[in-house]
mmCIF file of all heavy atoms in Angstrom:
data_model
loop_
_atom_site.group_PDB
_atom_site.id
_atom_site.type_symbol
_atom_site.label_atom_id
_atom_site.label_comp_id
_atom_site.label_asym_id
_atom_site.label_seq_id
_atom_site.Cartn_x
_atom_site.Cartn_y
_atom_site.Cartn_z
ATOM 1 N N SER U 28 132.485 86.407 94.015
ATOM 2 C CA SER U 28 132.117 85.199 93.273
ATOM 3 C C SER U 28 133.229 84.704 92.366
ATOM 4 O O SER U 28 133.096 83.624 91.771
ATOM 5 C CB SER U 28 130.863 85.462 92.429
ATOM 6 O OG SER U 28 129.771 85.845 93.244
ATOM 7 N N GLY U 29 134.319 85.470 92.246
ATOM 8 C CA GLY U 29 135.414 85.031 91.381
ATOM 9 C C GLY U 29 135.954 83.672 91.771
ATOM 10 O O GLY U 29 136.261 82.836 90.904
ATOM 11 N N THR U 30 136.064 83.410 93.083
ATOM 12 C CA THR U 30 136.591 82.127 93.542
ATOM 13 C C THR U 30 135.637 80.974 93.253
ATOM 14 O O THR U 30 136.030 79.998 92.621
ATOM 15 C CB THR U 30 136.926 82.192 95.046
ATOM 16 O OG1 THR U 30 137.940 83.179 95.250
ATOM 17 C CG2 THR U 30 137.439 80.855 95.540
ATOM 18 N N PRO U 31 134.360 81.038 93.690
ATOM 19 C CA PRO U 31 133.448 79.938 93.339
ATOM 20 C C PRO U 31 133.218 79.804 91.844
ATOM 21 O O PRO U 31 133.040 78.689 91.340
ATOM 22 C CB PRO U 31 132.150 80.288 94.086
ATOM 23 C CG PRO U 31 132.315 81.640 94.619
ATOM 24 C CD PRO U 31 133.750 81.976 94.642
ATOM 25 N N ASN U 32 133.236 80.917 91.106
ATOM 26 C CA ASN U 32 133.101 80.820 89.648
ATOM 27 C C ASN U 32 134.245 80.013 89.055
ATOM 28 O O ASN U 32 134.058 79.177 88.166
ATOM 29 C CB ASN U 32 133.089 82.210 89.011
ATOM 30 C CG ASN U 32 131.789 82.942 89.241
ATOM 31 O OD1 ASN U 32 130.788 82.349 89.620
ATOM 32 N ND2 ASN U 32 131.792 84.243 89.032
ATOM 33 N N SER U 33 135.450 80.281 89.539
ATOM 34 C CA SER U 33 136.619 79.568 89.041
ATOM 35 C C SER U 33 136.573 78.088 89.404
ATOM 36 O O SER U 33 137.001 77.230 88.618
ATOM 37 C CB SER U 33 137.884 80.207 89.619
ATOM 38 O OG SER U 33 139.036 79.512 89.212
ATOM 39 N N PHE U 34 136.035 77.796 90.577
ATOM 40 C CA PHE U 34 136.002 76.409 91.048
ATOM 41 C C PHE U 34 134.883 75.606 90.388
ATOM 42 O O PHE U 34 135.097 74.493 89.910
ATOM 43 C CB PHE U 34 135.840 76.386 92.569
ATOM 44 C CG PHE U 34 135.874 75.006 93.164
ATOM 45 C CD1 PHE U 34 137.046 74.260 93.156
ATOM 46 C CD2 PHE U 34 134.741 74.459 93.736
ATOM 47 C CE1 PHE U 34 137.082 72.988 93.700
ATOM 48 C CE2 PHE U 34 134.769 73.192 94.284
ATOM 49 C CZ PHE U 34 135.942 72.456 94.273
ATOM 50 N N TYR U 35 133.680 76.186 90.346
ATOM 51 C CA TYR U 35 132.519 75.459 89.821
ATOM 52 C C TYR U 35 132.292 75.705 88.326
ATOM 53 O O TYR U 35 131.670 74.888 87.656
ATOM 54 C CB TYR U 35 131.256 75.853 90.583
ATOM 55 C CG TYR U 35 131.269 75.464 92.042
ATOM 56 C CD1 TYR U 35 131.276 76.435 93.035
ATOM 57 C CD2 TYR U 35 131.283 74.132 92.432
ATOM 58 C CE1 TYR U 35 131.296 76.090 94.379
ATOM 59 C CE2 TYR U 35 131.290 73.772 93.771
ATOM 60 C CZ TYR U 35 131.302 74.750 94.742
ATOM 61 O OH TYR U 35 131.321 74.412 96.060
ATOM 62 N N GLY U 36 132.741 76.849 87.821
ATOM 63 C CA GLY U 36 132.534 77.163 86.413
ATOM 64 C C GLY U 36 131.078 77.312 86.033
ATOM 65 O O GLY U 36 130.658 76.817 84.982
ATOM 66 N N ASN U 37 130.279 78.016 86.868
ATOM 67 C CA ASN U 37 128.838 78.079 86.611
ATOM 68 C C ASN U 37 128.277 79.501 86.627
ATOM 69 O O ASN U 37 127.110 79.709 86.948
ATOM 70 C CB ASN U 37 128.088 77.240 87.647
ATOM 71 C CG ASN U 37 128.270 77.772 89.059
ATOM 72 O OD1 ASN U 37 129.141 78.602 89.308
ATOM 73 N ND2 ASN U 37 127.466 77.285 89.990
ATOM 74 N N ARG U 38 129.078 80.508 86.295
ATOM 75 C CA ARG U 38 128.577 81.882 86.362
ATOM 76 C C ARG U 38 127.532 82.184 85.301
ATOM 77 O O ARG U 38 126.860 83.216 85.350
ATOM 78 C CB ARG U 38 129.726 82.873 86.229
ATOM 79 C CG ARG U 38 130.337 82.940 84.842
ATOM 80 C CD ARG U 38 131.291 84.106 84.713
ATOM 81 N NE ARG U 38 131.840 84.204 83.374
ATOM 82 C CZ ARG U 38 132.493 85.265 82.917
ATOM 83 N NH1 ARG U 38 132.682 86.302 83.703
ATOM 84 N NH2 ARG U 38 132.975 85.291 81.690
ATOM 85 N N PHE U 39 127.355 81.276 84.338
ATOM 86 C CA PHE U 39 126.391 81.461 83.261
ATOM 87 C C PHE U 39 124.993 81.012 83.682
ATOM 88 O O PHE U 39 124.021 81.212 82.958
ATOM 89 C CB PHE U 39 126.834 80.656 82.036
ATOM 90 C CG PHE U 39 126.466 81.287 80.711
ATOM 91 C CD1 PHE U 39 127.213 81.027 79.586
ATOM 92 C CD2 PHE U 39 125.381 82.134 80.588
ATOM 93 C CE1 PHE U 39 126.901 81.590 78.347
ATOM 94 C CE2 PHE U 39 125.040 82.707 79.365
ATOM 95 C CZ PHE U 39 125.805 82.424 78.243
ATOM 96 N N GLU U 40 124.863 80.378 84.819
ATOM 97 C CA GLU U 40 123.591 79.793 85.218
ATOM 98 C C GLU U 40 122.824 80.716 86.151
ATOM 99 O O GLU U 40 123.402 81.561 86.832
ATOM 100 C CB GLU U 40 123.831 78.434 85.877
ATOM 101 C CG GLU U 40 124.513 77.434 84.951
ATOM 102 C CD GLU U 40 124.801 76.109 85.629
ATOM 103 O OE1 GLU U 40 124.440 75.961 86.820
ATOM 104 O OE2 GLU U 40 125.385 75.231 84.982
ATOM 105 N N GLY U 41 121.503 80.536 86.182
ATOM 106 C CA GLY U 41 120.539 81.211 87.021
ATOM 107 C C GLY U 41 120.989 82.319 87.938
ATOM 108 O O GLY U 41 121.193 83.460 87.535
ATOM 109 N N ALA U 42 121.131 81.998 89.238
ATOM 110 C CA ALA U 42 121.416 83.012 90.251
ATOM 111 C C ALA U 42 122.750 83.701 90.011
ATOM 112 O O ALA U 42 122.891 84.895 90.275
ATOM 113 C CB ALA U 42 121.394 82.372 91.635
ATOM 114 N N GLN U 43 123.726 82.965 89.501
ATOM 115 C CA GLN U 43 125.039 83.572 89.247
ATOM 116 C C GLN U 43 124.946 84.610 88.142
ATOM 117 O O GLN U 43 125.492 85.712 88.256
ATOM 118 C CB GLN U 43 126.058 82.486 88.873
ATOM 119 C CG GLN U 43 126.514 81.606 90.017
ATOM 120 C CD GLN U 43 125.451 80.617 90.456
ATOM 121 O OE1 GLN U 43 124.577 80.253 89.678
ATOM 122 N NE2 GLN U 43 125.529 80.176 91.686
ATOM 123 N N PHE U 44 124.262 84.292 87.077
ATOM 124 C CA PHE U 44 124.111 85.242 85.972
ATOM 125 C C PHE U 44 123.333 86.479 86.418
ATOM 126 O O PHE U 44 123.654 87.604 86.044
ATOM 127 C CB PHE U 44 123.385 84.557 84.808
ATOM 128 C CG PHE U 44 123.234 85.427 83.584
ATOM 129 C CD1 PHE U 44 124.194 85.402 82.588
ATOM 130 C CD2 PHE U 44 122.138 86.259 83.421
ATOM 131 C CE1 PHE U 44 124.076 86.196 81.450
ATOM 132 C CE2 PHE U 44 122.001 87.056 82.298
ATOM 133 C CZ PHE U 44 122.970 87.025 81.310
ATOM 134 N N ASP U 45 122.302 86.262 87.240
ATOM 135 C CA ASP U 45 121.411 87.344 87.627
ATOM 136 C C ASP U 45 121.984 88.268 88.689
ATOM 137 O O ASP U 45 121.426 89.349 88.917
ATOM 138 C CB ASP U 45 120.093 86.770 88.146
ATOM 139 C CG ASP U 45 119.286 86.109 87.050
ATOM 140 O OD1 ASP U 45 119.574 86.375 85.867
ATOM 141 O OD2 ASP U 45 118.372 85.330 87.372
ATOM 142 N N SER U 46 123.056 87.864 89.371
ATOM 143 C CA SER U 46 123.562 88.659 90.488
ATOM 144 C C SER U 46 124.961 89.225 90.253
ATOM 145 O O SER U 46 125.507 89.877 91.141
ATOM 146 C CB SER U 46 123.577 87.814 91.766
ATOM 147 O OG SER U 46 124.413 86.680 91.614
ATOM 148 N N GLN U 47 125.538 88.997 89.069
ATOM 149 C CA GLN U 47 126.905 89.437 88.826
ATOM 150 C C GLN U 47 126.999 90.338 87.592
ATOM 151 O O GLN U 47 126.171 90.261 86.687
ATOM 152 C CB GLN U 47 127.834 88.232 88.645
ATOM 153 C CG GLN U 47 127.908 87.319 89.853
ATOM 154 C CD GLN U 47 128.736 86.066 89.600
ATOM 155 O OE1 GLN U 47 129.702 86.085 88.837
ATOM 156 N NE2 GLN U 47 128.354 84.971 90.231
ATOM 157 N N ASN U 48 128.031 91.196 87.612
ATOM 158 C CA ASN U 48 128.371 92.063 86.484
ATOM 159 C C ASN U 48 127.273 93.096 86.214
ATOM 160 O O ASN U 48 126.763 93.697 87.150
ATOM 161 C CB ASN U 48 128.729 91.215 85.262
ATOM 162 C CG ASN U 48 130.011 90.422 85.502
ATOM 163 O OD1 ASN U 48 131.058 90.980 85.811
ATOM 164 N ND2 ASN U 48 129.927 89.104 85.395
ATOM 165 N N ILE U 49 126.871 93.317 84.960
ATOM 166 C CA ILE U 49 126.013 94.456 84.649
ATOM 167 C C ILE U 49 124.520 94.146 84.692
ATOM 168 O O ILE U 49 123.705 95.067 84.817
ATOM 169 C CB ILE U 49 126.361 95.038 83.263
ATOM 170 C CG1 ILE U 49 126.147 93.978 82.174
ATOM 171 C CG2 ILE U 49 127.779 95.565 83.240
ATOM 172 C CD1 ILE U 49 126.312 94.530 80.777
ATOM 173 N N ALA U 50 124.144 92.876 84.598
ATOM 174 C CA ALA U 50 122.723 92.531 84.569
ATOM 175 C C ALA U 50 121.969 93.020 85.801
ATOM 176 O O ALA U 50 120.882 93.601 85.672
ATOM 177 C CB ALA U 50 122.542 91.024 84.388
ATOM 178 N N PRO U 51 122.474 92.809 87.027
ATOM 179 C CA PRO U 51 121.701 93.264 88.196
ATOM 180 C C PRO U 51 121.511 94.779 88.258
ATOM 181 O O PRO U 51 120.532 95.247 88.847
ATOM 182 C CB PRO U 51 122.529 92.755 89.387
ATOM 183 C CG PRO U 51 123.880 92.473 88.848
ATOM 184 C CD PRO U 51 123.675 92.059 87.434
ATOM 185 N N ILE U 52 122.411 95.541 87.666
ATOM 186 C CA ILE U 52 122.229 96.998 87.632
ATOM 187 C C ILE U 52 121.019 97.344 86.767
ATOM 188 O O ILE U 52 120.175 98.162 87.146
ATOM 189 C CB ILE U 52 123.489 97.685 87.089
ATOM 190 C CG1 ILE U 52 124.714 97.315 87.938
ATOM 191 C CG2 ILE U 52 123.309 99.204 87.050
ATOM 192 C CD1 ILE U 52 126.031 97.828 87.379
ATOM 193 N N ALA U 53 120.921 96.699 85.612
ATOM 194 C CA ALA U 53 119.768 96.930 84.731
ATOM 195 C C ALA U 53 118.477 96.449 85.382
ATOM 196 O O ALA U 53 117.433 97.095 85.257
ATOM 197 C CB ALA U 53 119.989 96.220 83.397
ATOM 198 N N PHE U 54 118.533 95.316 86.107
ATOM 199 C CA PHE U 54 117.344 94.828 86.805
ATOM 200 C C PHE U 54 116.863 95.853 87.832
ATOM 201 O O PHE U 54 115.666 96.090 87.980
ATOM 202 C CB PHE U 54 117.648 93.502 87.526
ATOM 203 C CG PHE U 54 118.020 92.365 86.616
ATOM 204 C CD1 PHE U 54 118.778 91.307 87.094
ATOM 205 C CD2 PHE U 54 117.607 92.337 85.297
ATOM 206 C CE1 PHE U 54 119.125 90.246 86.275
ATOM 207 C CE2 PHE U 54 117.941 91.285 84.458
ATOM 208 C CZ PHE U 54 118.705 90.235 84.951
ATOM 209 N N ALA U 55 117.819 96.447 88.561
ATOM 210 C CA ALA U 55 117.457 97.415 89.596
ATOM 211 C C ALA U 55 116.835 98.669 88.990
ATOM 212 O O ALA U 55 115.832 99.183 89.503
ATOM 213 C CB ALA U 55 118.691 97.781 90.416
ATOM 214 N N VAL U 56 117.410 99.167 87.905
ATOM 215 C CA VAL U 56 116.848 100.354 87.240
ATOM 216 C C VAL U 56 115.443 100.054 86.732
ATOM 217 O O VAL U 56 114.521 100.874 86.865
ATOM 218 C CB VAL U 56 117.767 100.810 86.094
ATOM 219 C CG1 VAL U 56 117.115 101.940 85.295
ATOM 220 C CG2 VAL U 56 119.119 101.275 86.641
ATOM 221 N N PHE U 57 115.261 98.872 86.162
ATOM 222 C CA PHE U 57 113.934 98.470 85.684
ATOM 223 C C PHE U 57 112.935 98.393 86.833
ATOM 224 O O PHE U 57 111.795 98.866 86.716
ATOM 225 C CB PHE U 57 114.030 97.114 84.982
ATOM 226 C CG PHE U 57 112.701 96.451 84.745
ATOM 227 C CD1 PHE U 57 111.838 96.922 83.775
ATOM 228 C CD2 PHE U 57 112.309 95.361 85.511
ATOM 229 C CE1 PHE U 57 110.601 96.318 83.567
ATOM 230 C CE2 PHE U 57 111.088 94.749 85.309
ATOM 231 C CZ PHE U 57 110.224 95.231 84.335
ATOM 232 N N ALA U 58 113.350 97.793 87.959
ATOM 233 C CA ALA U 58 112.444 97.646 89.097
ATOM 234 C C ALA U 58 112.013 99.003 89.644
ATOM 235 O O ALA U 58 110.830 99.216 89.953
ATOM 236 C CB ALA U 58 113.117 96.825 90.192
ATOM 237 N N VAL U 59 112.951 99.936 89.772
ATOM 238 C CA VAL U 59 112.617 101.265 90.283
ATOM 239 C C VAL U 59 111.736 102.010 89.286
ATOM 240 O O VAL U 59 110.775 102.688 89.676
ATOM 241 C CB VAL U 59 113.899 102.061 90.591
ATOM 242 C CG1 VAL U 59 113.579 103.511 90.892
ATOM 243 C CG2 VAL U 59 114.628 101.429 91.774
ATOM 244 N N ALA U 60 112.035 101.885 87.999
ATOM 245 C CA ALA U 60 111.194 102.522 86.977
ATOM 246 C C ALA U 60 109.780 101.942 87.008
ATOM 247 O O ALA U 60 108.790 102.672 86.860
ATOM 248 C CB ALA U 60 111.815 102.340 85.598
ATOM 249 N N LEU U 61 109.689 100.636 87.216
ATOM 250 C CA LEU U 61 108.381 99.990 87.326
ATOM 251 C C LEU U 61 107.625 100.522 88.541
ATOM 252 O O LEU U 61 106.424 100.796 88.473
ATOM 253 C CB LEU U 61 108.563 98.478 87.443
ATOM 254 C CG LEU U 61 107.307 97.615 87.558
ATOM 255 C CD1 LEU U 61 106.408 97.803 86.346
ATOM 256 C CD2 LEU U 61 107.697 96.148 87.715
#
């Protein structure tokens, strides 16, 4: 996503925020714990 992030500048929004960096790891741990 580095290339589209650089081009569009939208990594802070919805799907980009939820699927990149550390947030999705925490989501996965939460889902399995649930």
Side-chain angles (χ1 to χ4, degrees):
S28 301
T30 298
N32 286 344
S33 177
F34 183 68
Y35 295 114
N37 63 346
R38 71 170 182 167
F39 213 153
E40 300 178 2
Q43 287 73 25
F44 183 92
D45 292 343
S46 60
Q47 299 175 32
N48 294 304
I49 61 173
I52 303 174
F54 297 156
V56 173
F57 166 73
V59 170
L61 180 59

